[in-house]
Amino acid sequence: APAQPILSWFRASASRCGSPSRPDIGPAAMVATPKSARKGSRSRGASPARRGGRSASPATPLRVEVSSQQRAAESDVASVSPFSGILDESAGHDKYSTFFYRPHFLIAMFFGIVSLYYANFYIEKGNLQTNVKRGLLGSTFAFLLYSSLPTPPARPIFSRPHPLVWRVVTGTVICYYMALTFLLFQSVDDARWLVTFVDPCHNGLVECSDAAKIGRGLGKPQALPERSYADACVVWTGGKGCSWWADLKKGQVPCMANIQDAVEDEFFFAHIVGWWGKALILRHAGAAWINSIVFEFIELSFQHWMPNFAECWWDHIILDVMVCNALGIFLGHVFIHYFEAKQYRWMNISGYTTTPAKAKRLAEQFLPESWDSYDWHSLESPKRLLVVVLVYFLILLQDFNAFALKYILWMPPRNPLNTYRLVLWWLLGMMAVREFYEYTTNRKVKRLGHDAWLGGMILTIEVLIWVKFGREANEFKEPFPWWVISMWATVLVLFAGWFYHHFYVVPLRVHKERGRKQRR
């Protein structure tokens, strides 16, 4: 009898811990419920709720709060797309203040570019000490500008070999973004001197020849020798008894010495690897081919600024377009189609029983988890075509920046810094182009991604660097030849005429034909 009040109190407590009938409290609430409460929910006191009846008392506020937090965490980590999962803080605000709480990536980019341009082109120049202070302030501004953007999604774009790798890549890109901002605030002479401090050849990190070191091993910046690839353009150089592919160590005479010398150059292989990487970025054979051909015309157009753009006709047409670029694009798309057509059946390493099978699964961790090709639908609408043209322009500008920065900062072509920059841009390009593709083709994606934003800012800062330093060093001042202006003017006129005919004249003609058939 004395235990009867205690037993009644225990049953009433168990009834209050039963499953509620509110529709917004689902199974996730049970995960956050204490073990004692979960046991109580299986008691007889909770049977009315399980039979469809209404619980005698509502759920406790603690359980409601914990379950909502868990659902938010699950949606952020597991079910939110890395492209559309950007935080939008405008919910709960009226129509007058909603604009200020929405993410504005393009506005932030425009504000940052205008601020950096004004600070470097309209403010009086200072000495090294002043420029270093300004550079530190500018780098801080650049980092805070990126920090003002909404928090990136928890899921990175790529998950292989591990999401940690791509987070580290993004962190490295941010460091490069801040370093470029700091360099932008320096003078051209100080910038050339500061670059020597990060040269791996001078720091002993990489074994380099004197020709690959910044300053050519003399301890201070030195102007690069103006090398032109158009000095020896004769195709047939041999006579009787010459060899098509000569072994120079054995004293053999090549029949085409200039072409053999160009093929044996290390940049011949670099061209193939570079276009293999671009094929993986664009994931479209036509887009890669267009970029390959247009860049040859860019080299022709700017060879009066940078002598190493000057090449022989067979170097432009045969070695570059028809051999190196074509082979790189072909290998890239063989790689793409293999992983696109492959059937993926991923199993955890613990699911394999033998050691060789586990080792094979561990090696497959470095392969893509899945693969998607890009279909830009460039001829679908005028807007879509202009977007594709913008992508082509940005990729070509990145290629041009590589030569312009190398030329204006006196970095030898074989210096490792050039390779590091290209590898970093390749990794960033795969993420940025993927984000931009989703932004322009997926209607569910309303905002530009963080990697695409970083790519746009870095690309612009690189342009500002070689433009500013070019003006200070009295470089890039030669006017364009008349034939270059005429060539690009003709291209623009033809493109504008075709654009108008394809998107306005042809649809109007088709519309009229349909109207005539309907009237008949």
Side-chain angles (χ1 to χ4, degrees):
Q4 188 65 28
I6 298 177
L7 183 60
S8 301
W9 175 85
F10 176 76
R11 289 178 177 176
S13 301
S15 177
R16 285 195 299 270
C17 294
S19 299
S21 59
R22 290 178 54 183
D24 58 336
I25 305 300
M30 299 301 298
V31 180
T33 308
K35 183 183 293 185
S36 60
R38 293 200 297 272
K39 289 181 179 179
S41 65
R42 292 192 292 268
S43 66
R44 289 180 294 175
S47 57
R50 291 199 301 269
R51 290 195 300 265
R54 189 172 183 85
S55 178
S57 61
T60 59
L62 177 61
R63 288 180 57 193
V64 175
E65 182 180 355
V66 172
S67 62
S68 63
Q69 290 178 354
Q70 182 182 359
R71 287 198 303 271
E74 289 175 354
S75 64
D76 284 342
V77 178
S79 61
V80 175
S81 168
F83 308 107
S84 59
I86 296 175
L87 181 63
D88 190 347
E89 301 169 328
S90 61
H93 296 275
D94 55 27
K95 61 180 181 179
Y96 300 104
S97 57
T98 299
F99 174 83
F100 299 98
Y101 287 91
R102 287 178 177 172
H104 297 287
F105 284 78
L106 296 180
I107 294 178
M109 181 183 296
F110 178 78
F111 174 73
I113 292 172
V114 171
S115 301
L116 293 176
Y117 179 80
Y118 177 80
N120 285 275
F121 288 86
Y122 287 95
I123 294 181
E124 185 180 357
K125 301 178 183 178
N127 53 21
L128 176 61
Q129 184 177 4
T130 303
N131 291 336
V132 168
K133 293 179 180 179
R134 291 177 179 176
L136 293 175
L137 291 175
S139 300
T140 305
F141 165 78
F143 179 75
L144 294 179
L145 183 65
Y146 176 78
S147 302
S148 67
L149 302 176
T151 306
R155 288 179 56 195
I157 298 176
F158 304 119
S159 58
R160 292 299 178 94
H162 192 279
L164 174 66
V165 175
W166 296 101
R167 295 190 187 103
V168 171
V169 170
T170 302
T172 308
V173 170
I174 295 174
C175 293
Y176 180 61
Y177 162 61
M178 296 176 63
L180 284 178
T181 306
F182 176 81
L183 195 67
L184 177 62
F185 283 84
Q186 313 307 313
S187 65
V188 60
D189 295 329
D190 295 337
R192 290 166 176 168
W193 174 67
L194 289 172
V195 169
T196 60
F197 288 93
V198 295
D199 182 11
C201 299
H202 285 286
N203 297 329
L205 301 176
V206 180
E207 292 291 337
C208 305
S209 62
D210 289 340
K213 295 180 180 179
I214 299 178
R216 293 181 292 175
L218 300 178
K220 59 181 180 180
Q222 297 288 327
L224 299 178
E226 296 184 359
R227 179 182 178 183
S228 174
Y229 293 91
D231 294 335
C233 295
V234 179
V235 176
W236 189 268
T237 58
K240 293 182 178 180
C242 64
S243 302
W244 290 100
W245 193 264
D247 188 352
L248 301 180
K249 295 181 180 180
K250 296 181 179 180
Q252 297 178 356
V253 179
C255 296
M256 296 178 288
N258 296 326
I259 296 180
Q260 180 175 338
D261 181 63
V263 172
E264 291 177 348
D265 191 274
E266 59 185 351
F267 296 108
F268 180 86
F269 179 73
H271 266 76
I272 300 175
V273 176
W275 281 102
W276 172 82
K278 288 179 185 175
L280 299 187
I281 293 176
L282 291 170
R283 303 188 188 182
H284 193 279
W289 267 106
I290 291 174
N291 274 266
S292 169
I293 296 172
V294 172
F295 190 75
E296 298 302 320
F297 285 96
I298 291 178
E299 287 185 337
L300 289 173
S301 304
F302 289 92
Q303 62 185 3
H304 64 288
W305 281 3
M306 286 173 278
N308 57 351
F309 272 169
E311 296 177 351
C312 299
W313 66 269
W314 45 263
D315 201 345
H316 279 296
I317 300 175
I318 300 177
L319 293 186
D320 284 353
V321 176
M322 301 177 63
V323 179
C324 296
N325 302 353
L327 183 58
I329 294 171
F330 172 75
L331 294 177
H333 281 274
V334 168
F335 183 91
I336 290 172
H337 290 302
Y338 170 77
F339 285 103
E340 186 180 12
K342 183 180 179 180
Q343 294 183 355
Y344 296 90
R345 296 186 180 91
W346 298 111
M347 185 186 300
N348 294 329
I349 297 179
S350 59
Y352 294 90
T353 57
T354 63
T355 301
K358 291 183 178 181
K360 180 182 178 182
R361 174 61 184 86
L362 182 61
E364 289 177 345
Q365 186 67 23
F366 293 89
L367 299 178
E369 186 176 14
S370 62
W371 196 274
D372 299 325
S373 295
Y374 296 160
D375 193 354
W376 293 94
H377 300 286
S378 56
L379 302 180
E380 182 179 293
S381 65
K383 180 181 178 181
R384 184 62 57 83
L385 179 61
L386 294 178
V387 166
V388 173
V389 171
L390 176 62
V391 173
Y392 293 171
F393 172 78
L394 295 178
I395 293 177
L396 292 171
L397 183 59
Q398 186 277 136
D399 291 335
F400 182 83
N401 285 349
F403 291 91
L405 292 174
K406 177 180 64 177
Y407 179 80
I408 200 65
L409 293 175
W410 292 351
M411 291 191 296
R414 292 176 174 82
N415 189 270
L417 287 179
N418 297 315
T419 305
Y420 298 161
R421 176 192 173 275
L422 292 176
V423 172
L424 185 62
W425 258 114
W426 177 59
L427 297 173
L428 174 60
M430 287 195 294
M431 297 187 295
V433 172
R434 178 60 191 241
E435 286 183 347
F436 192 78
Y437 175 78
E438 294 290 336
Y439 176 66
T440 56
T441 59
N442 191 348
R443 295 183 178 180
K444 296 181 180 179
V445 179
K446 305 297 183 182
R447 299 289 180 264
L448 191 68
H450 290 73
D451 297 303
W453 188 89
L454 282 171
M457 286 297 298
I458 292 175
L459 199 63
T460 306
I461 295 174
E462 288 180 346
V463 172
L464 293 177
I465 286 177
W466 64 259
V467 170
K468 176 187 175 182
F469 292 170
R471 291 174 56 181
E472 293 181 7
N474 203 24
E475 296 282 356
F476 310 137
K477 64 181 185 303
E478 294 83 0
F480 286 92
W482 66 269
W483 64 268
V484 173
I485 299 175
S486 302
M487 178 184 67
W488 288 108
T490 304
V491 171
L492 291 176
V493 169
L494 293 176
F495 176 77
W498 172 86
F499 186 88
Y500 178 78
H501 180 268
H502 181 78
F503 289 108
Y504 295 99
V505 175
V506 174
L508 182 61
R509 185 182 303 167
V510 172
H511 179 72
K512 290 181 179 180
E513 290 294 333
R514 288 178 180 176
R516 292 175 184 175
K517 292 180 180 180
Q518 291 176 358
R519 286 193 297 269
R520 292 176 183 175

